[in-house]
């Protein structure tokens, strides 16, 4: 339809290759996953409520199905309940209606998905939003790589500090037991002690960097991508019902077809509103995510640079100043768990 329903969204046709011969198309590894996603949410028949006295009665007669399991439906020796047959019939009708609606929706979405994949149909594309979503996914992959490397660096530094601490203790012990080399063992023990102290400060900074980056990647970005998935599912439903409406609009008009056309128009409008709402939600979340990402990473990258530079320059004062600047506190020596060990 070309009636300006989508605002900035554009609809494009994807031509099929090889004259419609699906056998010559390359295998699409994502097709099976997409079909599973369409089928994943079946009808929920456990939260159904029915109307007493028949399907479509007054609101005062609503009875949850969970309360029926231990009463009318499972008491063969109880006295007959007035209207019991109508009650059971109402449950069956309502659940059948739920299954019917879910099946129709799944069929339409699966048909639309296959049509898009084989180039026989059209899909609604918001080019600007799609580019932003793809950029977010690429950014998340790169940030996950940084996070993995930062964790590896933290683990290596932790091992180094354990070795330096053990070496310093060995030097200190030998300083007490070797009078002829007491001075030499002593200043080596002191050097290892100072290196461990600086290493603990650096490790505290690295753990702060890892924790903050992990929150950004696996909470903030994942929350936005969850909304993106909902938007993509709504887009598929919207296009499925749009295609259905277009096909019915071209069919011969009679009383039956006009009735189906009115129903299709109603379904299309409902899915259009859902799609446009989620499209707006994704746009807002992407904007706030970008602002949050810049703010968080500006702080974390500054911390990472200052801490690494001060550590390898041997500048203990600057390293401790970096920790104070970002309000990073280390546990005092002798604590049960060293402050720089963060549970992952």
């Amino acid at each position: 339809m070309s009636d300006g329903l989508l605002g900035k969204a554009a609809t494009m046709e994807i031509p099929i290759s090889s004259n419609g011969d699906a056998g010559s198309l390359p295998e699409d590894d994502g097709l099976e996953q997409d079909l599973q996603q369409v089928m994943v949410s079946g009808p929920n028949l456990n939260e159904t409520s029915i109307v007493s006295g028949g399907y479509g009665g007054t609101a005062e007669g609503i009875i949850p199905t969970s309360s029926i399991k231990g009463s009318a439906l499972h008491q063969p020796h109880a006295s007959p309940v007035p209207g019991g047959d109508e009650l059971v019939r109402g449950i069956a009708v309502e659940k059948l209606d739920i299954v019917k609606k879910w099946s129709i929706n799944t069929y339409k979405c699966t048909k639309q998905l296959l049509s898009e994949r084989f180039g026989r149909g059209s899909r609604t594309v918001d080019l600007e939003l799609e580019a932003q979503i793809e950029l977010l996914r690429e950014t998340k992959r790169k940030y996950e790589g940084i996070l993995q490397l930062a964790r590896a660096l933290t683990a290596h530094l932790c091992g180094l500090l354990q070795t330096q601490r053990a070496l310093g203790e060995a030097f200190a012990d030998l300083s007490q037991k070797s009078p002829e080399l007491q001075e030499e063992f002593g200043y080596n023990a002191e050097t290892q002690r100072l290196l461990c102290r600086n290493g603990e400060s650096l490790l505290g900074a690295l753990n702060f960097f890892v924790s903050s980056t992990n929150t950004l990647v696996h909470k903030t970005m994942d929350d936005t991508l969850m909304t993106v998935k909902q938007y993509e599912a709504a887009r598929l439903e919207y296009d499925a019902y749009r295609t259905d409406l277009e096909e019915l609009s071209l069919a011969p008009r009679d009383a039956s077809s006009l009735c189906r056309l009115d129903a299709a128009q109603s379904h299309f409008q409902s899915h259009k509103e859902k799609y446009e709402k989620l499209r707006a939600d994704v746009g807002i979340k992407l904007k706030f995510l970008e602002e949050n990402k810049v703010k968080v990473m500006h702080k974390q990258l500054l911390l990472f640079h200052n801490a690494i530079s001060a550590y390898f320059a041997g500048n203990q004062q600057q390293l401790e100043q970096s920790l104070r600047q970002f309000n990073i506190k280390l546990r005092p020596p002798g604590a049960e768990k060293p402050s720089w060990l963060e549970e992952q």
Side-chain angles (χ1 to χ4, degrees):
M1 296 174 65
S2 57
D3 54 356
L5 293 175
L6 295 179
K8 295 193 298 181
T11 304
M12 61 182 184
E13 294 284 344
I14 308 174
I16 186 170
S17 59
S18 305
N19 296 322
D21 184 8
S24 62
L25 291 175
E27 292 186 4
D28 191 340
D29 295 334
L31 179 57
E32 183 177 353
Q33 296 179 357
D34 290 338
L35 287 173
Q36 290 176 350
Q37 184 175 359
V38 170
M39 298 291 293
V40 70
S41 56
N44 188 349
L45 303 180
N46 296 322
E47 299 180 359
T48 308
S49 61
I50 62 96
V51 180
S52 176
Y55 190 62
T58 61
E60 289 78 3
I62 295 179
I63 305 174
T65 56
S66 58
S67 65
I68 300 173
K69 294 180 179 179
S71 57
L73 297 181
H74 298 284
Q75 295 183 8
H77 301 292
S79 58
V81 179
D85 291 341
E86 290 81 0
L87 189 65
V88 175
R89 191 178 302 111
I91 297 172
V93 169
E94 184 169 0
K95 290 190 175 183
L96 183 61
D97 186 57
I98 292 173
V99 173
K100 180 180 178 181
K101 290 179 179 178
W102 175 82
S103 300
I104 292 174
N105 185 74
T106 302
Y107 166 75
K108 292 181 183 295
C109 291
T110 304
K111 178 183 176 183
Q112 176 66 25
L113 178 63
L114 293 173
S115 177
E116 292 175 6
R117 289 306 176 98
F118 291 107
R120 300 192 182 97
S122 62
R123 66 184 296 264
T124 302
V125 180
D126 188 325
L127 297 177
E128 182 180 353
L129 190 61
E130 293 289 338
Q132 293 176 2
I133 292 172
E134 183 57 34
L135 179 61
L136 169 59
R137 287 177 170 142
E138 180 64 22
T139 300
K140 184 174 185 286
R141 286 191 291 268
K142 292 180 178 179
Y143 274 47
E144 286 173 337
I146 291 176
L147 189 57
Q148 182 179 6
L149 293 173
R151 282 174 169 157
L153 179 61
T154 302
H156 292 319
L157 182 58
C158 180
L160 173 63
L161 292 180
Q162 291 174 345
T163 302
Q164 287 180 326
R165 185 176 296 105
L167 187 59
E169 292 173 355
F171 282 151
D173 181 62
L174 287 170
S175 175
Q176 298 296 325
K177 298 178 180 179
S178 305
E180 69 281 2
L181 294 173
Q182 181 177 11
E183 184 178 351
E184 287 81 357
F185 276 126
Y187 60 65
N188 273 283
E190 179 65 15
T191 298
Q192 295 302 317
R193 187 185 69 81
L194 292 175
L195 287 174
C196 282
R197 179 180 176 182
N198 288 349
E200 288 174 358
S201 298
L202 175 60
L203 207 49
L206 289 179
N207 273 318
F208 187 75
F209 176 86
V210 168
S211 176
S212 298
T213 306
N214 181 71
T215 299
L216 175 65
V217 173
H218 293 299
K219 291 185 179 180
T220 311
M221 288 185 179
D222 279 353
D223 176 71
T224 302
L225 287 173
M226 182 62 67
T227 305
V228 168
K229 288 183 179 180
Q230 295 172 354
Y231 156 75
E232 290 174 340
R235 195 282 308 164
L236 181 64
E237 288 182 339
Y238 166 75
D239 278 336
Y241 284 89
R242 173 183 57 80
T243 301
D244 188 49
L245 179 60
E246 290 174 349
E247 291 175 354
L248 289 173
S249 299
L250 298 175
R253 301 297 176 87
D254 54 30
S256 177
S257 65
L258 287 175
C259 182
R260 291 196 301 270
L261 184 62
D262 289 340
Q265 180 66 49
S266 176
H267 291 312
F268 166 76
Q269 187 64 31
S270 174
H271 286 286
K272 175 194 172 188
E273 292 172 359
K274 178 181 177 182
Y275 163 75
E276 291 182 343
K277 180 183 181 302
L278 283 167
R279 183 176 64 176
D281 290 346
V282 170
I284 293 172
K285 284 203 170 186
L286 286 173
K287 177 183 178 181
F288 283 117
L289 174 61
E290 181 64 22
E291 294 174 354
N292 187 48
K293 181 193 73 175
V294 172
K295 181 180 178 181
V296 169
M297 292 311 297
H298 173 78
K299 175 180 178 180
Q300 295 305 316
L301 292 172
L302 182 62
L303 166 66
F304 191 90
H305 173 270
N306 291 348
I308 290 287
S309 300
Y311 174 78
F312 284 101
N315 192 334
Q316 178 182 346
Q317 182 179 0
Q318 182 181 350
L319 184 55
E320 293 178 351
Q321 182 181 354
S322 296
L323 298 183
R324 289 194 300 269
Q325 179 183 356
F326 294 97
N327 198 28
I328 301 174
K329 296 181 180 180
L330 303 179
R331 287 196 179 189
E336 292 183 1
K337 288 187 177 181
S339 61
W340 38 267
L341 286 179
E342 180 182 25
E343 295 182 0
Q344 300 296 332

